[in-house]
């Protein structure tokens, strides 16, 4: 976990970054990870179909867990 506050001229923004590496093992706790989340960056390895399929599975879990957060942005990135 990385937690940092960036202070601008007229505001502060908190950045809290969790690197989960796909370790969300229960859908029931996924909602806790994503509470009040504004953006999720979901990355996968472009030369591994298994990585892509796993990321798609996690994406579906995220969509289900965040159904009540309509402003959430999900970025799906191949690296």
């Amino acid at each position: 976990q990385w937690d940092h506050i960036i202070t601008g001229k007229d505001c502060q923004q908190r950045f809290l970054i969790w690197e989960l590496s796909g370790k969300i093992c229960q859908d029931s706790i996924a909602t806790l990870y994503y509470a009040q989340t504004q953006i999720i960056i979901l990355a996968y390895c472009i030369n591994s179909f298994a990585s892509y399929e796993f990321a798609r599975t996690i994406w579906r879990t995220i969509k289900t867990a965040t159904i009540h957060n309509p402003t959430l942005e999900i970025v799906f990135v191949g690296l």
Side-chain angles (χ1 to χ4, degrees), residues 24-56:
I24 297 175
C25 54
Q26 297 177 17
D27 291 348
S28 61
I29 64 168
T31 305
L32 299 174
Y33 282 105
Y34 306 128
Q36 300 178 358
T37 298
Q38 294 173 337
I39 188 169
I40 293 174
I41 300 171
L42 181 58
Y44 67 94
C45 180
I46 61 170
N47 63 353
S48 170
F49 188 71
S51 174
Y52 172 75
E53 286 295 309
F54 183 71
R56 282 184 47 186

Side-chain angles (χ1 to χ4, degrees), residues 55-69:
R56 282 184 47 186
T57 300
I58 296 297
W59 181 80
R60 286 190 290 270
T61 301
I62 291 169
K63 291 299 284 182
T64 301
T66 60
I67 196 164
H68 300 293
N69 186 352

Side-chain angles (χ1 to χ4, degrees), residues 6-24:
I6 296 177
T7 304
K9 182 178 178 182
D10 298 321
C11 66
Q12 286 188 335
Q13 181 64 50
R14 180 178 183 206
F15 289 88
L16 181 60
I17 299 174
W18 292 77
E19 190 279 314
L20 299 176
S21 297
K23 295 177 184 169
I24 297 175

